[in-house]
Amino acid sequence: MGASGVLMSLGYVLWNVVSSVGLILINKWLMDSVHIECIFMLTSMHLMTSWLSVVALMKLGYEEYKPMPLRDVLLMVSVFFVTVASFNLSLKLNSVGTYQLSKLLVTPVTAALQFMLHGTRVPIATQLSLAIICISVAFVSISDVTLTAGGALCCVVAIFASAANSMWTKSVPVRLGLSTYQVNFFLY
């Protein structure tokens, strides 16, 4: 990869970090300062914006529409909506730090579920990295006094729903011959 490819990759990573963190901070501001109480409305606004972006990509010719079986659509949409709504509710009930820590736990939980359900093993270096993440989250969580019982429940639901969603969004496109954007058309 040449210098321009490296710069482009760094640009994508930077955009991902800035947009993700910015969206989280805007959501927290909307909930705490503007007092948006309806988490499902906020979630629906996010999903509608994402869906319109996918439609725009299709209209511009970057992707094409492909149908997806209704059963798969309903299952994936349900789990995806629970994931986003639970994380948004967790952000409302907890601090941004707690929210971010719960997001970090999605990867270790996904790896554990893949091992328990499918026998998929991850390399020892990855296991050690995931163990460090889990230990770090435990230490930080102990000192975070803004965790509420309802917020903790939302975190657990969001983590497991996100892990299930992550596994499906990797396996369903392969099984159905769809790209990620084609699946996202139905998710959003």
Side-chain angles (χ1 to χ4, degrees):
M1 179 184 308
S4 65
V6 170
L7 286 176
M8 186 177 280
S9 294
L10 287 174
Y12 288 137
V13 169
L14 182 62
W15 169 251
N16 187 13
V17 170
V18 168
S19 63
S20 297
V21 171
L23 184 61
I24 291 164
L25 294 176
I26 289 169
N27 282 346
K28 189 65 172 170
W29 175 76
L30 286 170
M31 291 178 217
D32 291 349
S33 299
V34 180
H35 303 291
I36 290 186
E37 297 296 325
C38 186
I39 298 302
F40 293 111
M41 182 187 76
L42 185 63
T43 301
S44 296
M45 288 172 26
H46 287 255
L47 298 179
M48 181 58 72
T49 303
S50 298
W51 182 78
L52 289 171
S53 299
V54 171
V55 168
L57 288 173
M58 288 180 172
K59 293 289 184 192
L60 292 170
Y62 289 103
E63 278 296 337
E64 65 180 49
Y65 173 83
K66 283 188 180 175
M68 189 170 159
L70 183 60
R71 180 178 180 274
D72 289 323
V73 170
L74 293 176
L75 185 60
M76 289 183 72
V77 165
S78 299
V79 172
F80 186 72
F81 192 84
V82 168
T83 298
V84 175
S86 298
F87 272 126
N88 282 344
L89 190 55
S90 167
L91 182 60
K92 178 177 176 51
L93 298 174
N94 299 315
S95 67
V96 172
T98 301
Y99 168 84
Q100 292 288 53
L101 291 172
S102 65
K103 297 279 281 191
L104 281 174
L105 289 176
V106 171
T107 304
V109 169
T110 302
L113 285 175
Q114 286 178 325
F115 176 73
M116 290 187 297
L117 298 173
H118 305 294
T120 305
R121 295 186 181 273
V122 294
I124 190 72
T126 304
Q127 290 177 25
L128 291 173
S129 298
L130 296 176
I132 291 169
I133 289 172
C134 292
I135 291 167
S136 300
V137 168
F139 278 120
V140 175
S141 297
I142 291 169
S143 66
D144 189 348
V145 294
T146 61
L147 181 65
T148 64
L153 178 63
C154 288
C155 286
V156 170
V157 169
I159 290 166
F160 279 92
S162 185
N165 184 60
S166 177
M167 291 188 313
W168 284 329
T169 54
K170 287 181 182 140
S171 65
V172 169
V174 171
R175 182 172 50 87
L176 298 175
L178 300 170
S179 73
T180 302
Y181 287 114
Q182 290 165 332
V183 171
N184 286 346
F185 176 81
F186 294 101
L187 284 180
Y188 301 137

